[in-house]
Amino acid sequence: MRYEKIDYTEYNDQTGFNLGVVREMVVTGLFPKYDDIDFYDFPNIIIDLDSLLSTVMKLNSDVTNEIKLEYGKIVVNSLGWFINQYQLNGYITIYYNLDKYYTFNEIYPEWNVERQDRYNNFGMEEFIEKNLLKKLKLLEQRMNNFKIIKCPDAPILTIKEDLKTINGNVVILSRDPHYNCLFIYFSNLWIFDGKRLFGREDFNEVPSNPRVKYNLLPYYYLLCGMRRNEYRGIEKMGPQKTIKYLKDNLSSIIDGSDVLWKEVEQYKDLFFLKNVYPKKR
């Protein structure tokens, strides 16, 4: 399959500034800006397509067909060049859903509601199926080390189950901080968030990540919230206040007697994922 290479630095955004922002986010979600970061040492590479396509949030709601086509071209070519670059070094798996995350929406109805509305308004699933997924499925038939998986629920839940059977180091390409919660269960996991590549031991050295140990991340997110996925957490519990609260009250949080913990305990399966499984539609 032949992909047209785009010179992203010289790309002419005749369709508007928003498309330029989208282009930058798609490309940097796959190709690190820093020369000292690459994925050649990972025998298993996972791409969260839902995260990559969340760049549609940067487009106006009344996008024209011209912008849709340009958007599709950016995504198709970026993925094509990524696969060409790494296909000889590791097994590449793309996971996607582009639909409602049933399990998390049952726990917390507001989870990802705005993003899902944008997908629906944009006609994302139909458009991506026609302009991207068909090409990827053809590529899957021709390559032994590439697979695309349609998830019945949130991709993170299918990925979590598949990680149990994967040997060797794994890197997940996703800007979704939800994946940080998997560090509790997998020591062979690394994440590339569009800027930095990190594992669970150096997770909290990344400026955009919470300054807590990886095993405290579910507690942190439950209290502080996770804006990207539209989970609010406790009102007025910002990052620093949450970190201090965890230090001062960890024992009572763990034993379930803490007052604030009781407010969010009903949502704990959003971030404690060990026994949370994808729902079959």
Side-chain angles (χ1 to χ4, degrees), residues 12-24:
N12 182 13
D13 285 326
Q14 295 178 350
T15 50
F17 172 75
N18 278 347
L19 191 60
V21 174
V22 167
R23 176 206 64 215
E24 178 73 9

Side-chain angles (χ1 to χ4, degrees), residues 28-45 82 85-86 89-90 169-173 190-193 195-198:
T28 56
L30 296 170
F31 299 96
K33 285 186 174 182
Y34 303 104
D35 293 337
D36 60 338
I37 299 178
D38 60 53
F39 312 121
Y40 290 112
D41 293 332
F42 289 94
N44 304 285
I45 300 173
F82 183 90
Q85 183 168 337
Y86 290 105
N89 297 89
N169 290 335
V170 183
V171 60
I172 297 177
L173 279 64
W190 274 258
I191 293 173
F192 176 67
D193 66 357
K195 292 183 179 180
R196 304 288 184 182
L197 176 67
F198 51 88

Side-chain angles (χ1 to χ4, degrees), residues 28-228:
T28 56
L30 296 170
F31 299 96
K33 285 186 174 182
Y34 303 104
D35 293 337
D36 60 338
I37 299 178
D38 60 53
F39 312 121
Y40 290 112
D41 293 332
F42 289 94
N44 304 285
I45 300 173
I46 290 174
I47 296 174
D48 172 15
L49 189 61
D50 282 27
S51 172
L52 190 68
L53 295 179
S54 68
T55 50
V56 71
M57 295 291 287
K58 300 295 181 181
L59 294 175
N60 296 324
S61 58
D62 56 346
V63 292
T64 64
N65 287 332
E66 180 186 5
I67 292 179
K68 284 187 179 183
L69 290 173
E70 292 294 343
Y71 177 81
K73 183 178 180 181
I74 290 168
V75 175
V76 167
N77 281 283
S78 298
L79 280 170
W81 278 100
F82 183 90
I83 293 167
N84 286 340
Q85 183 168 337
Y86 290 105
Q87 62 180 318
L88 299 180
N89 297 89
Y91 198 101
I92 302 171
T93 309
I94 295 178
Y95 292 80
Y96 74 99
N97 177 288
L98 300 180
D99 203 344
K100 187 175 182 179
Y101 291 179
Y102 291 92
T103 296
F104 297 134
N105 285 122
E106 286 182 4
I107 298 169
Y108 189 80
E110 294 84 6
W111 186 270
N112 261 332
V113 169
E114 182 183 355
R115 187 180 306 172
Q116 189 58 50
D117 286 345
R118 290 299 297 269
Y119 282 152
N120 294 337
N121 292 338
F122 189 80
M124 170 63 77
E125 188 165 18
E126 179 181 356
F127 175 76
I128 292 300
E129 178 69 40
K130 179 180 178 181
N131 292 277
L132 173 62
L133 296 179
K134 285 185 178 180
K135 294 182 179 180
L136 292 177
K137 289 172 183 176
L138 286 173
L139 187 62
E140 180 182 23
Q141 296 174 10
R142 302 174 185 177
M143 291 178 58
N144 295 324
N145 58 342
F146 172 70
K147 191 172 185 179
I148 180 164
I149 296 176
K150 168 68 172 177
C151 303
D153 202 332
I156 190 174
L157 297 178
T158 302
I159 290 171
K160 173 182 67 81
E161 293 305 301
D162 289 353
L163 286 174
K164 296 176 181 178
T165 64
I166 293 178
N167 296 317
N169 290 335
V170 183
V171 60
I172 297 177
L173 279 64
S174 179
R175 286 188 169 92
D176 188 350
H178 204 190
Y179 284 90
N180 297 338
C181 296
L182 296 181
F183 283 136
I184 299 178
Y185 314 113
F186 303 103
S187 60
N188 62 334
L189 175 63
W190 274 258
I191 293 173
F192 176 67
D193 66 357
K195 292 183 179 180
R196 304 288 184 182
L197 176 67
F198 51 88
R200 69 183 192 178
E201 298 303 330
D202 60 351
F203 160 86
N204 57 10
E205 297 176 11
V206 176
S208 59
N209 288 337
R211 296 296 194 272
V212 298
K213 293 294 185 180
Y214 66 86
N215 57 341
L216 296 180
L217 283 170
Y219 298 107
Y220 173 89
Y221 289 128
L222 278 163
L223 294 171
C224 189
M226 184 178 282
R227 181 180 297 179
R228 180 184 175 91

